[in-house]
Amino acid sequence: MAEDNVNLVGTLEKILYSNLENGFLIATFLVENTTKPITVKGIVFNTHERETLLLKGCWENHKVYGRQFSIREFMPVEPTSEEGMVRYLSSKVFKGIGEKTAQHIVNKFGKNTFKIIDISPESLSKVKGVGKKQRKSLLAAWDEQRGLRDVMTFLRGVGISHAYAQRIFAKNGLNSIPLIKTNPYKLTDIEGIGFLTADGIARNLGFDKNSPHRAVAGLLYMLEQQALNGHTCFTRQALLEKTSQELDIKLEILESSTQQLLDDSLLYSEKFQFMNADEEELIFRPRFYKAEQRIAENIYRILNSDAYTVFEGESSLIEEQQRKVGLQLDPAQKEAVEAALKHKVLIITGGPGTGKTTIVRFMLGIMRPRIPSIGLAAPTGRAAKRITETTGSVAYTIHRLLEASNMGFQRDRENPLEQELLILDETSMIDTLLMDNFLEAVPSASRLILVGDVDQLPSVGAGSVLLDLIESGTIPVVRLDHIFRQAADSFITVNAHQVRRGKALNFSALGHKKDVNQELLDFYFIKESNSEKIVEKILLMSTERIPQRFELDPMMDIQVLTPMHRGVTGSINLNRKLQERMNPDAKGLEHREQWFRIGDKVMQQQNDYEKQVFNGDLGRIVNCDSKTKELHVKFEHGIVQYQSKELDQLSLAYAITVHKSQGSEYSAVIIPMTTHHYMMLQRNLLYTAITRGKQLVVLIGTEVAISKAVENECSMQRFTGLQHQLSELGLTPLY
């Protein structure tokens, strides 16, 4: 059992292990007035052996290494004993001052040593062995350390955590205090410090809630919140009212601050006409405004370039390919292929079972002999792998196609892609910023085919690019609605299209077919209203019923998809329960109230170009070092190492949100549907969840919740400016 909230003062004796990147160390530590060093571990930046520290943390009993102290936070302090003073002055902090010289200084001034250095530093010239050069070096280091202590003390005093205090000091040095006192909202420039943290500090410093600094930071914060909800912009009036209401700032102050931000080009505005509504002024952060502007410009550039391969006799080419592969296209499929041969840019959209993959494969059969360089890509690794498997042509992630690195994308306007035909699958997943980067790299002479299901959830990132391009009417669009016979035999496909059309699911038909044919189905509904019992049924289905009856791997073939993070049937709780059931005893480590164990299924939460792992990639933990807090995770392309500071990139993935499942397919999916998810009961969410299953979909919940989702067509409208930017360039609708 750990003993919490223990304070220790003493000297860092010997550093046994140190990771310079994340600050984690293991060391021996001599507590004041003791003779036997103890073992300490934790995050301690910029420290040296023989430095005197205040450590805050708790005692732990490690099953291998015994009793040790776990550091939660630390603070450099001045030692009070003469022995401690000698140790401190002879540490690496004071270069050029050895133990002998340090002893001379302390012998001369005794317990007043530090006081003398502070108020009468010239007295050091009277000490044997302290020359001019040594004195100058010592005093410079002394001022720096005193400044560090003063800054850290100030920062902690205004409510800044130790970890953030270190980042602030690293960036601003001794200027940290005056900067924060003048405008604490400047702290939002520090990674990890958001508006809410800076606002708390400002309150501690006595800043008025209607301060112009607060109004500016609050407006930028509220726009970023809207970006997290999918908007690339927001109406001026709604932004002002929402900011005023949630942050309690006077409207007139916000009006003035908004205008100042616009004048300084820290915000952009455009006036739009929505449908038959009144004209609205929309406010943008610069990166979204410029991204949508460039998307429109690049679409215009590609559409208006005459430099591309022209195909003669589309109909005869299609007939020839049909004979070659023994396939007869239906009218909509034929229209799609003809359009692909005819147009520079094309959108193909349709739901599951409508033949999108067949069309892509068919088009490649015609175009591959005639276009030497073709690129296939998708937003996620799993989606790219699926295209590769279904078409027989190698597909890449968009990031890999653009040669992404931690320095950015290597392919751009100056160094464009070389392919003459580019086909993007799962285009509904592509957000504004990624589409901007992709189109910047598309040569004017290239053909571009965008394939996707516009009825799925929009991209996780801000924007609704596919929908905006379709609704703009500026690009030819082929819509596929016909469900082919083989797909029509699947209840997954049939029910997905029922949901898409807003029609009720016929659960009685499922039972009837099972009774008649005595066969396993691909779609089941289990009625249950109690959330705790839903969890128990998910555990039973995941670990016993489905693996046994369908011969599927419970760890990697079965995926639980839930609408929410929080709640009894949210991903956080389900991950904990599934981990306890499927992988309870493996070696692991704790990180931010989450245990990672060898064998766990995990998901990458952000793009890491250096590691070549991307948001949504699934892997399994194959090794764990609890001492250094390092993990090794096996992904499809190989094993990736994660250091302690990188663990935020990972989350358990026994259960994931529906949003995180976009672009992926799983052998079996289990979906809890309860009215506790009321805000997330949306048609496109249920539709997306169902279409993730290849062999099996199991809904567990209530018919009321499912009906609510089917009826709720009004998924939240996203405010974007792409259609407006397209019209500004004179791209008139084709239809």
Side-chain angles (χ1 to χ4, degrees), residues 214 221-222 226 241-249:
R214 184 170 188 260
Y221 164 72
M222 292 304 296
Q226 299 319 307
E241 290 176 357
K242 196 172 184 68
T243 307
S244 178
Q245 182 180 351
E246 294 193 17
L247 302 183
D248 193 20
I249 304 174

Side-chain angles (χ1 to χ4, degrees), residues 129-148:
V130 180
K132 187 175 180 181
K133 186 177 179 181
Q134 284 180 303
R135 186 168 70 251
K136 185 178 178 182
S137 174
L138 187 153
L139 292 175
W142 182 264
D143 288 341
E144 185 178 342
Q145 290 299 304
R146 174 56 57 89
L148 171 61

Side-chain angles (χ1 to χ4, degrees), residues 183 185 188 195 212-222 247 261:
N183 182 7
Y185 297 98
T188 55
F195 171 81
H213 292 313
R214 184 170 188 260
V216 165
L219 285 162
L220 296 176
Y221 164 72
M222 292 304 296
L247 302 183
L261 287 164

Side-chain angles (χ1 to χ4, degrees), residues 476-514:
V477 178
V478 177
R479 300 173 184 268
L480 305 174
D481 292 301
H482 176 68
I483 305 173
F484 290 89
R485 185 174 63 79
Q486 187 177 358
D489 291 336
S490 162
F491 276 107
I492 295 175
T493 301
V494 170
N495 281 320
H497 283 277
Q498 285 288 98
V499 172
R500 182 178 68 83
R501 297 176 185 126
K503 296 182 178 180
L505 303 185
N506 187 353
F507 299 118
S508 61
L510 299 176
H512 178 71
K513 182 170 181 177
K514 183 182 176 184

Side-chain angles (χ1 to χ4, degrees), residues 429-495:
M429 293 181 61
I430 303 175
D431 62 35
T432 298
L433 299 180
L434 182 57
M435 183 60 86
D436 171 34
N437 282 293
F438 172 74
L439 291 176
E440 277 286 283
V442 175
S444 298
S446 291
R447 290 173 177 268
L448 179 61
I449 299 173
L450 306 176
V451 184
D453 185 350
V454 75
D455 294 312
Q456 287 190 23
L457 286 169
S459 57
V460 175
S464 53
V465 177
L466 181 62
L467 180 63
D468 285 347
L469 290 174
I470 291 173
E471 292 193 342
S472 74
T474 58
I475 297 173
V477 178
V478 177
R479 300 173 184 268
L480 305 174
D481 292 301
H482 176 68
I483 305 173
F484 290 89
R485 185 174 63 79
Q486 187 177 358
D489 291 336
S490 162
F491 276 107
I492 295 175
T493 301
V494 170
N495 281 320

Side-chain angles (χ1 to χ4, degrees), residues 520 540-554 558 696:
L520 291 173
L540 181 65
M541 289 290 154
S542 300
T543 60
E544 297 181 31
R545 297 284 177 80
I546 293 174
Q548 291 169 5
R549 298 186 68 184
F550 291 85
E551 298 182 352
L552 296 175
D553 179 0
I558 303 169
L696 178 65

